[in-house]
Amino acid sequence: MKRLKAIRVRVYPTPEQERSFLRIAGCCRLVYNLGLIQRRDFWRQYRNVTGRGIGWHGQKRELTDLKALPEADFLREAPSHCLQMALQDLDTAYARFFGGLAGYPRPRRKGENDAFTFPDPAQIRVDVRDGRLVLPKFGRRRGDGGALRVRMHRRPFGELRRVTVSREGKHWYASILMRTRARQPQLPAPTAPDVVGIDRGVAAPFVTSGGASFGAATEGEHERKKQRRLSKALSRTQRGSRRREKARLRLLTHKSKMARRRRDRIHKITTELAKNHRIVAIEKLRVQAMTASARGTVEAPGRNVAQKGGLNREILDRGWGEFRRQLVYKLAWRGGQLLEVPAVNTSRTCAACGHVAAESRTSRDLFRCVACAHEDDADRNAAIEIRRRGLMALGLHENPAGTVGTARGALCDGMAMNREKKNDGINAKTSVDA
Ligand SMILES: [Zn+2]
């Protein structure tokens, strides 16, 4: 099995190199946006004239004509490969849209999408020992400012595929994509203990059916206050002023720092989960809610001030999408699987007897079943229900029908769960069966 893996390293460009980065990023953004306009507004005319639909190859050919225009002379500064990659990115964005995986492609914006990709491995050299990265236009000839200085915190492995340089806040990063060969692990058929359920918790973003919780306090009150303060400061500045630009940069820096922290945290959590569990069951994503929250982030930051109640939720939602994305590939590498189960009523269903009632959720964090009086942490109760749905989807049944649902059974369940909680066990129901 071929596996694509990337490492992301910090780049420390000289001021001259940074200017060059910004110029290349600007050219790529322009080409991307022009390509988007062409595909969005002129696809019918294009088809009438050429008899074909607009695609990557057609646009790539037109790129040569575009660069020949006197007013687009500056495009020659950017490596052709990078410009072509911008069009390929656009093609991918359209493919994702038509495949129902993403919304309609949006224009790239300065300050938010400053990135460009070098797709030819033959033109790239990574020097781990000296922490240098050689890219076309950087570090080849004398007088070009030398190779890029990078912090190689880990060794590249496998076959180099391409490098993407991007800006996040004030920092520049290079994402080095590599391809490795790995044998797909051959595992026996899964059994019930291989399955864990995970719910989005109230106190912590991720709660397992075993009662473990992950990711609490990634973003504290201090950070939220700072974000509010910075966005307020931004909204008080004059449009187009230098102070506004400074305030915008300060907010962006803060936000990207939080994003890095979250990403790091989620990576650690998903690695741990994938190491310890073969099959992870989560709720199916509500795609509409996801895109709605994404839309909120691009809007003027000033508007977020009014939505501070929703901020937390939004952070959680975005974390959830990333969490899911990482789990899919990390589990697959180990021969595991991510299961997505229907999300309906998971927080209102009793994990002991299966009774569904909104009243069972007595408070924000306590679940007390109105039918059988089973009591548990609300997040954990939902995680156990998600796990049960995962087991059903796999055709695995842990509790034969009839053994749960009686008052005694539920009580025993509750006792066992309490015990397990203290031991920080993986799975409460297994211990009941044992
Ligand atoms: Zn119950």
Side-chain angles (χ1 to χ4, degrees):
M1 183 177 66
K2 276 173 188 161
R3 202 185 263 185
L4 286 172
K5 223 171 174 176
I7 57 172
R8 192 164 178 259
V9 296
R10 175 99 182 259
V11 184
Y12 299 88
T14 63
E16 191 193 340
Q17 285 170 338
E18 186 170 20
R19 278 194 290 278
S20 188
F21 278 3
L22 286 169
R23 275 198 298 270
I24 298 174
C27 292
C28 288
R29 195 167 46 236
L30 176 75
V31 166
Y32 184 95
N33 289 342
L34 285 176
L36 176 62
I37 292 168
Q38 188 183 32
R39 289 179 79 145
R40 190 185 59 198
D41 304 336
F42 297 102
W43 63 273
R44 196 170 275 128
Q45 273 154 280
Y46 187 92
R47 195 191 51 195
N48 291 345
V49 174
T50 64
R52 285 190 308 265
I54 311 180
W56 177 46
H57 290 286
Q59 291 195 318
K60 205 173 84 174
R61 273 195 299 274
E62 283 186 48
L63 195 57
T64 323
D65 304 335
L66 179 69
K67 281 204 280 192
L69 294 176
E71 63 264 41
D73 195 37
F74 58 91
L75 282 180
R76 290 161 189 267
E77 257 188 80
S80 304
H81 273 160
C82 297
L83 299 177
Q84 288 168 9
M85 280 308 286
L87 289 174
Q88 198 180 351
D89 284 352
L90 179 68
D91 199 54
T92 310
Y94 267 96
R96 283 177 62 78
F97 166 69
F98 287 124
L101 295 168
Y104 196 82
R106 278 178 310 199
R108 289 189 168 171
R109 288 165 53 142
K110 190 177 178 182
E112 276 175 28
N113 310 99
D114 297 326
F116 48 94
T117 299
F118 293 98
D120 184 5
Q123 296 183 321
I124 301 165
R125 214 179 69 229
V126 185
D127 188 345
V128 181
R129 214 188 50 199
D130 299 333
R132 280 136 70 91
L133 180 63
V134 177
L135 295 173
K137 291 215 173 205
F138 299 99
R140 277 287 159 102
R141 295 172 296 273
R142 231 181 297 172
D144 61 4
L148 297 164
R149 206 159 65 76
V150 291
R151 176 170 297 170
M152 294 299 298
H153 60 278
R154 74 173 65 169
R155 190 168 277 280
F157 40 86
E159 181 195 340
L160 190 68
R161 299 301 297 164
R162 63 180 181 220
V163 170
T164 298
V165 176
S166 61
R167 185 163 77 155
E168 195 181 293
K170 285 187 292 193
H171 302 162
W172 288 90
Y173 296 89
S175 179
I176 305 170
L177 187 72
M178 284 151 304
R179 190 164 69 182
T180 57
R181 278 173 189 284
R183 256 189 315 150
Q184 180 75 37
Q186 292 297 319
L187 299 170
T191 55
D194 292 330
V195 186
V196 70
I198 295 172
D199 184 45
R200 287 191 258 197
V202 176
F206 312 106
V207 178
T208 72
S209 50
S213 58
F214 295 97
T218 309
E219 201 147 329
E221 188 52 33
H222 174 76
E223 283 81 6
R224 273 197 294 276
K225 263 189 189 154
K226 184 170 179 185
Q227 174 149 350
R228 283 204 288 274
R229 198 183 64 223
L230 290 175
S231 39
K232 247 184 208 162
L234 175 67
S235 66
R236 278 196 291 261
T237 54
Q238 290 270 324
R239 212 165 251 285
S241 68
R242 286 185 66 177
R243 282 164 63 90
R244 187 179 184 85
E245 186 51 29
K246 276 186 187 169
R248 196 187 63 82
L249 205 65
R250 269 197 291 270
L251 179 64
L252 194 66
T253 305
H254 175 74
K255 276 187 171 173
S256 50
K257 186 175 181 177
M258 292 304 108
R260 281 198 301 279
R261 252 192 220 177
R262 266 196 307 272
R263 203 162 41 220
D264 174 63
R265 197 61 169 262
I266 292 174
H267 265 298
K268 283 172 182 157
I269 296 167
T270 50
T271 300
E272 177 149 345
L273 286 171
K275 267 186 191 165
N276 295 319
H277 303 282
R278 220 174 111 189
I279 292 167
V280 177
I282 62 169
E283 287 177 324
K284 198 170 272 169
L285 272 182
R286 290 169 304 127
V287 180
Q288 275 168 338
M290 293 296 301
T291 47
S293 63
R295 218 176 290 131
T297 60
V298 204
E299 285 177 349
R303 283 194 58 177
N304 283 344
V305 182
Q307 310 165 341
K308 53 192 164 197
L311 184 66
N312 223 347
R313 186 76 218 170
E314 183 200 324
I315 288 162
L316 222 106
D317 276 347
R318 274 186 292 164
W320 187 251
E322 181 62 17
F323 175 78
R324 178 188 169 280
R325 190 189 71 80
Q326 293 178 9
L327 264 186
V328 168
Y329 72 77
K330 287 184 185 178
L331 284 165
W333 285 350
R334 291 177 168 84
Q337 187 192 354
L338 182 79
L339 278 181
E340 288 185 277
V341 301
V344 187
N345 283 335
T346 47
S347 62
R348 296 191 193 100
T349 308
C350 172
C353 74
H355 183 75
V356 182
E359 303 81 56
S360 292
R361 183 122 187 200
T362 46
S363 72
R364 205 184 62 149
D365 14 58
L366 188 73
F367 186 93
R368 191 189 289 123
C369 180
V370 289
C372 75
H374 164 68
E375 210 176 283
D376 199 355
D377 173 69
D379 299 332
R380 201 166 86 105
N381 180 72
I384 292 171
E385 174 59 20
I386 290 168
R387 174 171 183 272
R388 196 190 60 79
R389 293 182 188 192
L391 288 172
M392 286 233 310
L394 291 170
L396 297 169
H397 294 283
E398 205 165 39
N399 294 296
T403 59
V404 288
T406 61
R408 193 179 161 271
L411 216 61
C412 290
D413 252 1
M415 290 286 287
M417 279 172 196
N418 268 332
R419 214 167 37 235
E420 279 293 315
K421 210 170 182 179
K422 277 180 198 132
N423 302 339
D424 200 26
I426 306 286
N427 186 321
K429 283 192 172 174
T430 327
S431 66
V432 177
D433 286 349

